[in-house]
C-alpha cells in the first residue's frame, strides 16, 4: 500500500467535509447569521472579549485545541493497524469533530460567550451544571499538569527546540503589537513572523541549549516545569491580544507550514506503508481495539477539550457568527490533517515491517518519538533537509502545539474557577482564580517528587474523561436544537457513538485500576463516570421536556438567547 493514496483520500474527505457538510451545518442546523452581533462586540472589554480577524482567531483555536494529542493518539493507535486509525481520523473529523467544535462555538456565542458548563445549568438544571463543572475542572487539571511534563521532556530530549520554543514568545508579542497597535498589514506581518520562527529553528539546531542536570537539588525537568507554570500564570492574565492571540496565530501558520513540509515529503518520497493494515500480532498487554481506539485517538477525531476552548475563549473573540464555520469546523480539519500526517509518518517512515515492529514492540511504545523519528526520516529523504534540522522542526511543532494548549488551558481553568466561585456566592479576582488554577496543577505535578512525575499521575484517565466531555457537550447541543425545533440527527448520532464508547472504556478501566490496586485513580474514575452518567440522564430528560415545551425563537437582535421556559 502506497502512503500517497492515504494522503489523497484523507485530504479529499476532510476538504469535502468542510466545503459541503460544514456548509449544511451552518445553514440548516446552526443557521449562522451575518447580521447577528456577537459578544465580542456587545461585551468588548479588551481582555477576554475582543473582536478578532477570523484568520487570527482560527490560529488561536487550531493551536489551542490541537496540542500534542493529535500526534500522540494516532502515533499510539496505529499499533492496531493503519486502517482503523485512518478511518476514525477521517470520518471523525468530518462528521464528529467539526460539528462538535462548530456547535459549541455557536451555542456559546449566542449566550454571551458563556462556557458549556454554564449552558448545562441553563438547559438541564443546577445538578447537571455542578457535575459538568467537576468533569471540566478535572479534565483541565489533567491537561495543564500533563502538558507541562510533556513540554519539559521534549525540551530535554531535543535541546535544539529550546531557542525556537522561547523565541516564539518574543515573536508573538511583537506580532500582537504590529497587528493591534501599529495596524500593520496582516499578510506582511504573517510572512515576517513565520520567517522569524523558522530562522529561530535554524539557530536552535546549531545552538542546542540544555539546563544543568540539577539546580538547587531540583532535576532539570522540574526546573523546566516551574518555568512553564510561571509563564502560563503570566500569559493567562494578559489581554488575549497581547500574547495568546498572536502566539497562537503565528504558531498556527508556522505549524501549517510544518504540515506542508511533511506532506510535501510524502508527495516526493511516496513511501510504502510498512505497518500492517490490521495488526493481529499486537504485543502482550495491548488492550482491545474496541473501545480503546475511540479514546486513544481523541484530538484528530473528536475531543471534549475542544468544546471547552470553543466556549471558553474562541466564542468571546468571534467577530461574525458566520466566521464560526471557518474557525470551528476548519480548525478541526487542521487538526485532522495533523493526525493524518502522524499516521503516515508513523506507518511509512520506517523502511520495513521489522523496523516498524522495533518501535512498536509494546503497547504505548509509539508517540511523539515515533512521529519525530519517522517524519524526520521522510523529510530528510524527500526534501534533503538534514536529519537533525528535520527532527528540530517536528519537535518544535510538537512543543509549540503543547505550549499553546497549556496557555489556553490555564486561562480556561481560571475562568472555570471564577464560575465555580460565583455558584458558591462569592466573586474571585482574576489573580486569585489564576493562583488557584496554577496551584492545583503545580501541586499535582510535584506531588510525587521534584522531578514533576506527578503531572502524569491522573493522565491515564484523560482519554475516557475527554471523550465523555465531548458526549456531554453534544448532549447540551441536542437539548438546544430540540428547543429550537431544528434537526438533531447530525448531533444525536455522534452523541450516542461517543457516549457508548467512552463509558465502555471507562468501565473497562475500572477493572484495570482495581487489579492494579490504584485506589486514587479508581476513585477519580468512579467520580467521573457517576458525574457523566448523571449529566447524560438529566440531558435526555431535558430533551423530553424540550419536545413537550413551546418552541423557543432566537432573534438576531437578542444579545443573549432566550432561555427555555422549562429548563429543569
Amino acid at each position: 500500500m502506497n502512503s500517497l493514496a492515504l494522503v489523497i483520500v484523507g485530504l479529499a474527505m476532510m476538504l469535502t467535509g468542510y466545503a459541503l457538510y460544514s456548509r449544511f451545518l451552518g445553514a440548516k442546523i446552526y443557521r449562522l447569521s451575518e447580521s447577528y452581533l456577537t459578544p465580542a462586540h456587545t461585551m468588548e472589554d479588551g481582555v477576554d472579549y475582543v473582536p478578532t480577524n477570523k484568520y487570527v482567531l482560527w490560529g488561536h483555536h487550531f493551536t489551542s485545541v490541537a496540542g500534542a494529542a493529535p500526534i500522540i493518539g494516532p502515533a499510539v493507535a496505529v499499533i492496531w493497524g493503519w486502517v482503523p486509525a485512518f478511518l476514525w481520523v477521517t470520518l471523525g473529523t468530518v462528521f464528529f469533530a467539526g460539528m462538535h467544535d462548530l456547535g459549541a462555538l455557536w451555542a456559546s456565542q449566542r449566550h454571551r460567550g458563556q462556557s458549556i458548563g454554564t449552558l448545562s445549568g441553563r438547559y438541564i438544571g443546577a445538578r447537571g451544571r455542578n457535575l459538568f463543572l467537576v468533569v471540566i475542572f478535572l479534565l483541565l487539571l489533567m491537561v495543564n499538569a500533563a502538558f507541562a511534563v510533556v513540554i519539559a521532556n521534549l525540551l530535554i530530549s531535543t535541546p535544539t527546540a529550546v531557542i525556537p520554543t522561547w523565541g516564539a514568545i518574543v515573536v508573538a508579542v511583537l506580532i500582537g503589537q504590529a497587528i493591534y497597535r501599529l495596524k500593520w498589514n496582516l499578510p506582511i506581518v504573517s510572512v515576517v513572523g513565520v520567517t522569524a520562527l523558522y530562522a529561530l529553528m535554524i539557530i536552535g539546531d546549531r545552538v542546542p541549549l540544555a539546563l544543568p542536570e540539577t539546580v538547587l537539588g531540583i532535576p532539570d525537568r522540574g526546573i523546566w516545569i516551574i518555568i512553564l507554570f510561571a509563564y502560563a500564570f503570566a500569559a493567562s492574565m494578559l489581554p488575549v491580544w497581547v500574547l495568546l492571540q498572536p502566539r497562537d496565530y503565528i504558531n498556527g501558520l508556522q505549524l501549517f507550514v510544518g504540515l506542508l513540509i511533511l506532506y510535501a515529503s510524502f508527495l516526493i518520497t511516496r513511501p510504502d506503508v510498512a505497518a500492517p493494515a490490521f495488526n493481529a500480532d499486537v504485543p502482550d498487554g495491548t488492550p482491545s481495539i474496541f473501545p480503546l481506539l475511540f479514546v486513544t485517538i481523541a484530538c484528530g477525531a473528536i475531543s471534549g477539550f475542544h468544546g471547552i476552548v470553543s466556549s471558553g475563549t474562541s466564542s468571546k473573540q468571534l467577530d461574525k457568527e458566520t466566521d464560526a464555520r471557518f474557525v470551528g469546523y476548519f480548525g478541526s480539519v487542521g487538526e485532522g490533517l495533523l493526525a493524518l500526517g502522524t499516521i503516515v509518518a508513523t506507518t511509512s517512515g520506517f523502511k520495513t515491517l521489522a523496523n516498524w515492529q522495533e518501535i512498536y514492540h509494546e503497547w504505548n511504545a509509539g508517540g511523539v518519538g515515533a512521529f519525530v523519528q519517522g517524519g524526520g526520516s521522510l523529510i530528510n529523504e524527500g526534501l534533503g533537509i538534514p536529519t537533525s534540522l528535520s527532527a528540530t522542526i517536528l519537535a518544535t511543532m510538537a512543543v509549540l502545539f503543547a505550549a499553546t494548549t497549556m496557555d489556553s488551558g490555564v486561562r480556561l481553568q481560571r475562568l472555570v474557577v471564577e464560575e465555580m466561585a460565583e455558584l458558591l456566592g462569592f466573586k474571585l479576582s482574576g489573580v486569585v482564580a489564576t493562583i488557584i488554577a496554577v496551584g492545583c496543577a503545580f501541586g499535582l505535578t510535584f506531588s510525587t517528587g521534584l522531578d514533576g512525575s506527578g503531572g502524569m499521575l491522573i493522565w491515564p484517565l484523560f482519554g475516557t474523561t475527554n471523550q465523555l466531555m465531548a458526549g456531554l457537550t453534544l448532549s447540551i447541543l441536542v437539548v438546544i436544537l430540540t428547543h429550537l425545533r431544528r434537526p438533531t440527527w447530525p448531533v444525536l448520532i455522534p452523541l450516542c457513538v461517543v457516549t457508548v464508547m467512552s463509558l465502555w472504556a471507562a468501565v473497562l478501566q475500572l477493572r484495570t485500576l482495581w487489579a492494579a490496586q490504584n485506589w486514587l485513580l479508581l476513585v477519580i474514575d468512579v467520580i467521573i463516570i457517576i458525574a457523566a452518567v448523571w449529566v447524560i440522564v438529566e440531558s435526555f430528560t431535558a430533551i423530553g421536556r424540550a419536545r413537550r415545551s413551546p418552541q423557543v425563537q432566537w432573534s438576531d437582535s437578542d444579545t443573549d438567547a432566550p432561555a427555555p421556559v422549562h429548563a429543569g
Side-chain angles (χ1 to χ4, degrees):
M1 177 69 181
N2 192 278
S3 61
L4 189 58
L6 295 184
V7 172
I8 292 173
V9 173
L11 280 171
M13 290 177 66
M14 292 184 200
L15 294 178
T16 301
Y18 175 69
L20 299 180
Y21 191 57
S22 76
R23 191 177 301 276
F24 162 76
L25 292 172
K28 302 297 183 182
I29 307 301
Y30 302 127
R31 299 183 188 175
L32 306 179
S33 172
E34 185 82 24
S35 60
Y36 176 71
L37 205 58
T38 64
H41 292 281
T42 61
M43 301 176 65
E44 184 175 0
D45 62 4
V47 178
D48 294 314
Y49 292 83
V50 179
T52 305
N53 178 286
K54 71 177 183 179
Y55 299 105
V56 176
L57 184 55
W58 174 85
H60 158 70
H61 185 80
F62 168 50
T63 54
S64 294
V65 300
I71 296 174
I72 297 171
V76 170
V78 293
I79 200 166
W80 291 300
W82 63 263
V83 169
F86 175 80
L87 290 176
W88 178 224
V89 163
T90 51
L91 295 175
T93 295
V94 172
F95 296 108
F96 288 65
M99 173 276 300
H100 170 275
D101 290 19
L102 171 57
L105 184 54
W106 161 77
S108 175
Q109 60 90 37
R110 278 279 176 167
H111 295 84
R112 296 184 294 114
Q114 291 177 334
S115 74
I116 203 71
T118 299
L119 295 186
S120 66
R122 189 166 189 164
Y123 284 93
I124 66 174
R127 285 192 305 270
R129 175 199 59 206
N130 296 340
L131 294 169
F132 213 116
L133 288 174
V134 168
V135 176
I136 293 174
F137 184 88
L138 289 173
L139 182 59
L140 288 171
L141 181 62
M142 293 176 198
V143 169
N144 295 335
F147 273 39
V149 177
V150 169
I151 297 167
N153 287 340
L154 283 168
L155 293 176
I156 292 170
S157 64
T158 316
T160 54
V162 172
I163 286 179
T165 295
W166 294 103
I169 297 173
V170 178
V171 173
V173 172
L174 295 176
I175 291 292
Q177 296 296 316
I179 293 174
Y180 287 99
R181 286 283 176 85
L182 302 178
K183 307 295 182 183
W184 285 6
N185 180 273
L186 183 60
I188 294 176
V189 172
S190 303
V191 171
V192 172
V194 170
T195 302
L197 285 182
Y198 275 91
L200 287 170
M201 291 183 202
I202 295 173
I203 295 171
D205 184 55
R206 296 179 179 179
V207 187
L209 295 180
L211 292 174
E213 290 189 7
T214 59
V215 177
L216 300 176
I218 305 174
D220 52 356
R221 183 166 70 175
I223 294 296
W224 276 128
I225 291 171
I226 292 172
I227 294 171
L228 286 164
F229 276 124
Y231 159 75
F233 179 92
S236 70
M237 293 298 299
L238 291 172
V240 289
W241 67 269
V242 172
L243 179 58
L244 185 68
Q245 261 188 17
R247 173 177 164 83
D248 290 356
Y249 171 65
I250 205 66
N251 280 348
L253 290 180
Q254 178 271 135
L255 296 167
F256 219 71
V257 172
L259 279 178
L260 291 176
I261 291 173
L262 188 62
Y263 275 87
S265 71
F266 299 156
L267 180 63
I268 295 170
T269 60
R270 289 174 287 178
D272 289 328
V273 179
F278 296 93
N279 190 14
D281 186 25
V282 295
D284 292 339
T286 302
S288 170
I289 187 172
F290 292 102
L292 265 295
L293 172 70
F294 297 91
V295 297
T296 301
I297 301 179
C299 298
I302 183 172
S303 166
F305 181 72
H306 294 202
I308 301 175
V309 174
S310 294
S311 65
T313 58
S314 299
S315 64
K316 297 175 176 63
Q317 302 169 56
L318 199 66
D319 184 35
K320 299 178 182 178
E321 186 175 62
T322 48
D323 290 348
R325 191 169 75 90
F326 181 78
V327 174
Y329 196 102
F330 196 67
S332 296
V333 169
E335 187 178 59
L337 293 176
L338 176 58
L340 176 62
T342 299
I343 291 171
V344 175
T346 55
T347 57
S348 308
F350 305 95
K351 297 297 183 183
T352 66
L353 176 61
N355 294 147
W356 182 82
Q357 288 174 331
E358 286 179 12
I359 299 294
Y360 287 87
H361 62 281
E362 64 180 357
W363 165 244
N364 266 343
V368 175
F371 169 72
V372 172
Q373 183 177 339
S377 174
L378 291 175
I379 292 174
N380 172 250
E381 181 182 346
L383 302 177
I385 298 175
T387 302
S388 173
L389 181 56
S390 299
T392 298
I393 291 172
L394 294 180
T396 303
M397 281 178 62
V399 171
L400 292 181
F401 265 127
T404 51
T405 298
M406 185 180 173
D407 284 359
S408 296
V410 171
R411 195 179 196 97
L412 291 165
Q413 188 80 312
R414 183 252 294 175
L415 296 173
V416 169
V417 169
E418 289 176 357
E419 277 190 41
M420 295 175 82
E422 288 179 9
L423 293 177
L424 295 174
F426 57 93
K427 186 175 180 64
L428 290 179
S429 68
V431 173
V432 174
T434 305
I435 290 173
I436 294 172
V438 172
C440 289
F442 189 89
L444 175 64
T445 305
F446 289 100
S447 61
T448 59
L450 294 177
D451 63 350
S453 57
M456 305 303 292
L457 197 63
I458 61 176
W459 183 251
L461 298 179
F462 173 77
T464 52
T465 306
N466 187 44
Q467 296 305 71
L468 282 171
M469 182 66 212
L472 299 181
T473 299
L474 293 176
S475 68
I476 302 302
L477 292 179
V478 172
V479 176
I480 294 173
L481 292 172
T482 303
H483 277 292
L484 295 171
R485 299 297 188 267
R486 298 181 189 174
T488 59
W489 61 265
V491 184
L492 191 58
I493 295 173
L495 164 62
C496 294
V497 173
V498 171
T499 302
V500 169
M501 290 299 174
S502 54
L503 282 177
W504 183 5
V507 171
L508 289 179
Q509 197 165 33
L510 284 178
R511 293 168 53 186
T512 303
L513 296 173
W514 180 274
Q517 297 185 351
N518 192 330
W519 308 124
L520 173 63
L521 294 190
L522 182 70
V523 171
I524 296 175
D525 198 18
V526 168
I527 292 172
I528 291 170
I529 291 174
I530 291 173
V533 170
W534 199 328
V535 173
I536 289 168
V537 170
E538 294 219 11
S539 296
F540 277 94
T541 302
I543 292 171
R545 290 197 303 266
R547 286 175 176 167
R548 297 188 298 270
S549 66
Q551 179 180 359
V552 173
Q553 299 285 352
W554 286 3
S555 168
D556 283 354
S557 62
D558 293 324
T559 56
D560 186 15
V565 177
H566 304 290

